[in-house]
Amino acid sequence: MKTKKQEIKQGIKLHTINTNKFKTNLVAIFLTVPITRENVTFNSVLSSVLRRGSKNMPTQEQISKELENMYGASFDCGIEKIGDNHVIKFYLESLNDNFIPENNDISTLKDSLDLLLDIIFNPYLENNKFKDEYVEAEKNNIKLLIESKIDNKDQYALNRCIEEMYKNKPYGLYKYGYTEDLDKINSDNLYNYYLEIINTSKIDIFVSGELEKEKIAEVVKNNENIKNLKERNPNHIVNNEQTEDKENVQEKEIEEKMDIGQGKLVIGLDVELKDYNSKFPVSMYNVILGESATSKLFQNVREKASLAYTARSNYVRQKNNIYIRCGIEIENYEKALSIIKEQLEDMKKGKFTEEDLANAKKYMISGLQSVQDEQDSEITYYIGQELSGKLTTFEEYMEQVNKVSIEEVKKVANSININTIYFLRN
């Protein structure tokens, strides 16, 4: 696999991932802007409206027909929050040209790029604005999506913990926005906002598959929609270990009540290391603490004490946080919290072994290898690297993981403090 990136225009990058592991090509285009309370709901509605049609394909039925003509290609779009950025993402997966019948002169890769660029940068308009019907329909869909966030109690609890940790800060915003802001959106101001986005956002075009890179660059550069785009100083936030300043905060507990059968406990931890290379021992710490089935949380909270249905942790490196998440019987809250805190203290005292570290390294490397087995997860990895401001390849990541020592993990353990304890109960 070979990766390469080049600037098509200032603020617009083409990333190619040349691999023969798949029978498909995957084209992904990301529009990145800083996330704010003012734009978060606009971004959600915008991504949904754009998928409804382009000038050349005014309806979803016509888009579907074009995809069918490309040997059943598939298209999707959505929204992600990566650090303090809001990312509007578009994907199109199609059969690799090498698997098309020889008597067919179709290039699905070129068609994929052209179709996706047309949907994003040549939208369907009526009277120089988005179609009213499309905007109102998608506002209703986003409203339902926002209102349904309480249905997944596990994810809801995590979102609420993040919201409390980052109150009145960009990362605390809910990625799909807020129902009270939907009434402010109409066809006119959404289109004006769209024009602002395509002229100021950071644009990244990813192409994964068995590729001829030079030809791809020519296809992109010669595309009329790309030609019409202006150069820009891309408006986005660089988020990584070195850009996150952690303030000393007093540990706080938040309790929320809801009609639920199982309690949801989320503990947000701050990592106070700022060195760029700290992400490697922090990753190891997180695996030993709670990410794997051999972790301290899983073994001590779930297996030995039988206090949790689930007990795990995950590391968000863009914000230098670790989140511990447990599903527990509500009456077990104090016991579970006490044992979790014991695990954090044990890590600070270095109560883990070389075998624990070796198992964590194997787990991490296996995970990095599996990321490369899916084109979309591989692209997700690279866009995360791009927005962190420094690229670490998979090979470099694995090499650094293997170098992590017990002393480095102990240093991480002693740089970690509890920020927020959130408990959702009945």
Side-chain angles (χ1 to χ4, degrees):
M1 182 187 71
K2 294 180 181 178
T3 61
K4 182 181 176 183
K5 66 179 175 180
Q6 64 185 103
E7 199 162 53
I8 299 297
K9 286 183 177 181
Q10 185 177 328
I12 303 171
K13 287 183 183 176
L14 171 65
H15 309 251
T16 53
I17 304 172
N18 198 359
T19 173
N20 59 7
K21 290 172 67 174
F22 311 102
K23 292 184 178 180
T24 54
N25 293 322
L26 183 60
V27 178
I29 299 177
F30 302 90
L31 311 182
T32 301
V33 294
I35 188 170
T36 68
R37 177 58 197 252
E38 290 71 33
N39 73 12
V40 62
T41 312
F42 269 87
N43 290 335
S44 293
V45 177
L46 178 61
S47 67
S48 298
V49 169
L50 288 175
R51 74 182 299 163
R52 294 293 294 259
S54 73
K55 184 177 180 181
N56 295 313
M57 298 167 288
T59 66
Q60 286 181 309
E61 289 75 19
Q62 284 169 284
I63 292 174
S64 296
K65 187 176 180 181
E66 287 297 321
L67 294 170
E68 217 31 65
N69 291 337
M70 294 162 56
Y71 295 91
S74 59
F75 160 67
D76 202 2
C77 70
I79 284 280
E80 284 300 332
K81 184 172 67 174
I82 303 178
D84 290 336
N85 293 295
H86 216 197
V87 182
I88 306 174
K89 58 181 185 177
F90 302 84
Y91 288 89
L92 201 155
E93 185 179 54
S94 61
L95 191 65
N96 189 287
D97 289 344
N98 293 332
F99 297 95
I100 293 174
E102 291 182 9
N103 62 348
N104 201 319
D105 60 359
I106 288 176
S107 169
T108 57
L109 181 54
K110 181 181 184 303
D111 290 348
S112 296
L113 279 161
D114 288 343
L115 190 149
L116 203 54
L117 290 168
D118 195 59
I119 289 172
I120 302 167
F121 300 113
N122 191 23
Y124 179 66
L125 305 176
E126 289 185 350
N127 301 316
N128 293 315
K129 62 179 183 178
F130 288 123
K131 186 174 181 177
D132 291 334
E133 179 190 335
Y134 289 175
V135 173
E136 291 307 312
E138 295 308 326
K139 281 169 60 178
N140 288 330
N141 289 336
I142 295 298
K143 182 182 179 185
L144 293 172
L145 187 61
I146 295 168
E147 290 174 342
S148 70
K149 68 182 178 181
I150 64 168
D151 295 343
N152 183 336
K153 301 300 190 292
D154 193 49
Q155 187 63 40
Y156 174 82
L158 175 62
N159 288 337
R160 284 287 295 114
C161 183
I162 292 171
E163 186 180 343
E164 290 294 335
M165 286 176 69
Y166 289 92
K167 190 170 283 187
N168 301 319
K169 294 181 179 179
Y171 193 64
L173 295 167
Y174 184 53
K175 75 174 183 178
Y176 291 117
Y178 300 88
T179 54
E180 60 266 32
D181 293 341
L182 287 167
D183 288 340
K184 303 172 188 175
I185 298 174
N186 57 50
S187 304
D188 284 299
N189 62 20
L190 185 64
Y191 182 59
N192 289 332
Y193 177 71
Y194 163 78
L195 293 176
E196 178 188 334
I197 282 280
I198 64 167
N199 286 316
T200 61
S201 65
K202 174 174 170 54
I203 299 176
D204 291 278
I205 302 166
F206 282 82
V207 185
S208 169
E210 200 165 351
L211 313 171
E212 293 182 65
K213 292 189 286 295
E214 291 75 15
K215 287 188 177 180
I216 294 166
E218 287 306 307
V219 168
V220 173
K221 287 176 183 176
N222 291 327
N223 182 278
E224 287 302 316
N225 293 301
I226 292 292
K227 287 180 179 179
N228 291 334
L229 290 175
K230 299 176 182 176
E231 295 197 340
R232 77 279 316 277
N233 291 314
N235 184 19
H236 75 292
I237 305 295
V238 175
N239 271 130
N240 61 43
E241 302 77 11
Q242 292 173 300
T243 59
E244 282 300 300
D245 285 319
K246 296 295 180 185
E247 302 170 3
N248 288 322
V249 296
Q250 187 172 355
E251 176 186 311
K252 59 180 181 282
E253 286 191 55
I254 307 291
E255 185 177 277
E256 187 174 348
K257 294 184 178 181
M258 195 177 287
D259 184 17
I260 56 173
Q262 183 188 112
K264 303 296 180 183
L265 172 60
V266 182
I267 303 175
L269 308 176
D270 285 329
V271 184
E272 294 183 358
L273 292 178
K274 285 193 69 177
D275 179 77
Y276 172 76
N277 288 322
S278 66
K279 67 181 176 184
F280 306 110
V282 176
S283 295
M284 292 300 92
Y285 172 92
N286 177 59
V287 175
I288 295 169
L289 175 69
E291 190 173 318
S292 70
T294 60
S295 70
K296 287 188 168 292
L297 291 178
F298 188 90
Q299 292 298 322
N300 292 292
V301 183
R302 185 183 186 277
E303 295 295 290
K304 290 181 183 176
S306 299
L307 289 175
Y309 300 100
T310 57
R312 62 195 185 279
S313 66
N314 66 288
Y315 170 40
V316 179
R317 73 180 190 86
Q318 290 92 351
K319 300 300 292 181
N320 243 3
N321 292 124
I322 291 174
Y323 293 94
I324 295 170
R325 304 162 69 180
C326 297
I328 61 175
E329 292 290 345
I330 289 151
E331 62 269 20
N332 288 336
Y333 171 70
E334 295 294 345
K335 288 180 184 177
L337 183 57
S338 175
I339 293 179
I340 290 168
K341 287 186 173 182
E342 279 178 26
Q343 308 317 305
L344 295 175
E345 286 303 310
D346 283 352
M347 292 294 289
K348 288 183 178 182
K349 294 172 184 174
K351 291 185 178 180
F352 55 93
T353 65
E354 288 285 359
E355 184 182 359
D356 291 330
L357 182 58
N359 287 336
K361 288 178 180 180
K362 288 177 186 174
Y363 175 90
M364 193 74 195
I365 287 169
S366 174
L368 287 164
Q369 289 170 336
S370 68
V371 166
Q372 298 172 79
D373 292 333
E374 297 285 343
Q375 283 173 294
D376 58 344
S377 60
E378 189 172 57
I379 288 175
T380 298
Y381 173 87
Y382 279 116
I383 189 63
Q385 296 291 309
E386 175 68 22
L387 296 180
S388 76
K390 187 170 181 180
L391 170 64
T392 304
T393 66
F394 287 103
E395 294 75 16
E396 289 167 343
Y397 211 122
M398 290 182 217
E399 185 181 337
Q400 291 296 328
V401 162
N402 276 321
K403 289 180 181 177
V404 173
S405 68
I406 274 194
E407 288 307 315
E408 288 175 303
V409 179
K410 286 181 187 175
K411 182 180 177 183
V412 170
N414 285 283
S415 79
I416 283 177
N417 293 300
I418 294 175
N419 180 306
T420 299
I421 299 167
Y422 172 85
F423 187 47
L424 181 63
R425 56 163 301 158
N426 61 10

